[in-house]
Structures are given as C-alpha cells and as structure tokens.
Amino acid sequence: MTGTDSELATLLATAAEILDGVSGRFLEGRGAPSAVAKGSRDFATELDLELERTISARLVDRTGIEVHGEEFGGPALTSGTAWVLDPIDGTFNYSNGHPLTGTLLALVRDGEPVLGLAWFPPLGRRYAAVAGGPLLLDGKPQPPLAPAVLDEAMIGFGAFNIESTGRVPGLFRHRVLGTLSALSSRVRMHGSTGIDLAFTAEGTLGGAIVFGHHPWDNAAGALMVRCAGGVVTDLEGVDWTIESGSVLAAAPGVHAELLDMIAATRGSGYTPVSDRVDTAGPRGEEGNP
C-alpha cells in the first residue's frame, strides 16, 4: 500500500459503504442497556460488541487491513497501518436514546491518521476527511475554518467527575471549566468526543477540549479538524499525535486563546497531559463519556 490519493479515496469509499451498511442496526439498538462493565462509570452495550465485530470483519475482508477497536483491541498504532474503531462513541448517550452518538473510524499509518470518518446516524450526518484534503460533510467539501475569537465561540467541553484523581484530575477540569465560563458563556458538554471534534471541524463549535487520550475517540476527529484548517494539539500546545494524552482542537485564533487560558489555570496537583500514553492501554472513563 503506497498511500496514493487514489488508494486513500478507494479506502474511504469502502469504509463509508461499510458504515452505511450498519447504520440501520445502529439506530435499531439505541437504548440498549449496559452489557459489560469496563471501569468506574463506564460500560459497553451489547451493540458495541456486535458492531465492532461486524465492522471489523468487513474492513478486514474488504481491505486486508487489521482493526484496533475500543472493545477488543488490536495491532499497535505507532507503526504499520491499521484501522482504529469506536463502534459507539457516546455510549451513555446511546444507551439512553440520546441522538448525539455515532461511530468513529480512522485509518492510521505509522501513528498518523490519514483517513477519518464520523458517522452520526441519529442526526443523518456523515463526516469524512483524507489527509491533505478538505472536510467532507455528506460527501460535499466544506470551506476552511475562518479565524475566530473565543468570546464569540461555542466550546465543546469533555465530561468529568469532580472526584476523579486520574491522569487529568476532576478538580483541574473543574477549574478549567470555571475559567472558560468567564471567557465564553457558550460552553457545551455533549457527552461525545466525536460530536465535539466533528462540530469543531465544520465550524459549529469554535473549539473542543478533550481530556481523554484514547485513539479510537480522537484520531478521526483530529484529522478532520486539521483538514478543515483548524489547529490540533494536546492541552499543553504540543502537536497532537496518536500518543497524546489529550486534545485541544479549535479554529485559528480560538486555539491560541484556549491554550493561554489552560496554561493560566494550571495549578498544583495537575498531572501534565502531554505525557505519552500507551495506545493499547486500559479503557476507562476518560475515553467514553
């Protein structure tokens, strides 16, 4: 596989056809109860497991490329080529019948996403991007993001438990939220990383703050924001990679203001989120709001 434009276009078309093929099943299963507990306040539904098996099998059969999924793992993502899949992003939303939920899929080559797809069947929206190309919404190229300012932008904010003592403690997240609310009253907590990043790429949101590090949550959206002309780093301003500990994605101008705001908020007891993480590490609360 040489990664030519035509090859990537073919792979995108194949992946899109596969996701279209399971959208009906995705919609049928909304409201599915918890089936597998994965940690504090985190779970998978039976549909997570079913969809990951189905999508993975079809991707391998039609492309010959292995899949690293949220529920069953897979090959390393820092070398070689692999699909990375979140069958149901926003599982709590999905299990409760909330429409802000979807399927995320990226093709990663040597740690860099080169294809990204975010399918939201309840909304009837299909986002996609190929590295170097524009953002596609329902197959139509979108204009690049224009520079913007924070006080006029809506910002997507990652979920948190204030009592959490994990990599990015709940108290720090709370401080960031408090500071952000003074700079932009338009803060939104959607419960779906995929929604936050796709909406940032299309310009509905001016930016998104993602505290989770899981590649199945972040890879597709990070690529889409970059293809749309946005800026994507971790919360310390280091260019985002598959090993990053967080995501800060925003339109030009807004990103710089958000980065300054986070730096000013940083205090004692904060674990730096630019630490590299194990891309095959444990699943947990941060990656599945």
Side-chain angles (χ1 to χ4, degrees), residues 71-248:
E71 308 305 335
F72 298 112
L77 298 175
T78 53
S79 62
T81 301
W83 296 103
V84 56
L85 169 67
D86 187 347
I88 300 178
D89 178 63
T91 304
F92 278 83
N93 288 356
Y94 185 80
S95 186
N96 285 279
H98 194 298
L100 297 185
T101 177
T103 298
L104 310 178
L105 179 65
L107 183 67
V108 176
R109 181 179 297 117
D110 295 331
E112 291 292 330
V114 293
L115 291 178
L117 301 92
W119 255 230
F120 302 109
L123 303 180
R125 293 190 182 186
R126 304 154 69 247
Y127 298 83
V130 179
L135 174 71
L136 303 174
L137 175 55
D138 297 330
K140 299 178 181 178
Q142 301 299 294
L145 294 172
V149 293
L150 180 56
D151 68 0
E152 296 177 358
M154 285 195 295
I155 304 298
F157 195 85
F160 69 94
N161 170 8
I162 197 168
E163 296 180 349
S164 172
T165 57
R167 293 174 40 263
V168 188
L171 284 173
F172 174 75
R173 302 183 191 203
H174 188 262
R175 289 199 301 270
V176 172
L177 179 60
T179 305
L180 178 60
S181 69
L183 299 174
S184 173
S185 61
R186 302 168 183 87
V187 180
R188 301 291 183 264
M189 191 176 293
H190 295 114
S192 164
T193 299
I195 287 285
D196 285 344
L197 294 176
F199 282 14
T200 297
E202 75 169 7
T204 297
L205 295 176
I209 298 173
V210 178
F211 298 107
H213 65 275
H214 295 307
W216 48 83
D217 288 317
N218 299 335
L223 176 65
M224 291 191 296
V225 174
R226 283 177 172 164
C227 287
V231 183
V232 187
T233 67
D234 65 12
L235 297 191
E236 293 194 343
V238 179
D239 282 348
W240 182 88
T241 74
I242 205 74
E243 297 177 283
S244 294
S246 59
V247 184
L248 181 64

Side-chain angles (χ1 to χ4, degrees), residues 247-260:
V247 184
L248 181 64
V254 175
H255 184 277
E257 290 190 72
L258 286 172
L259 192 60
D260 287 345

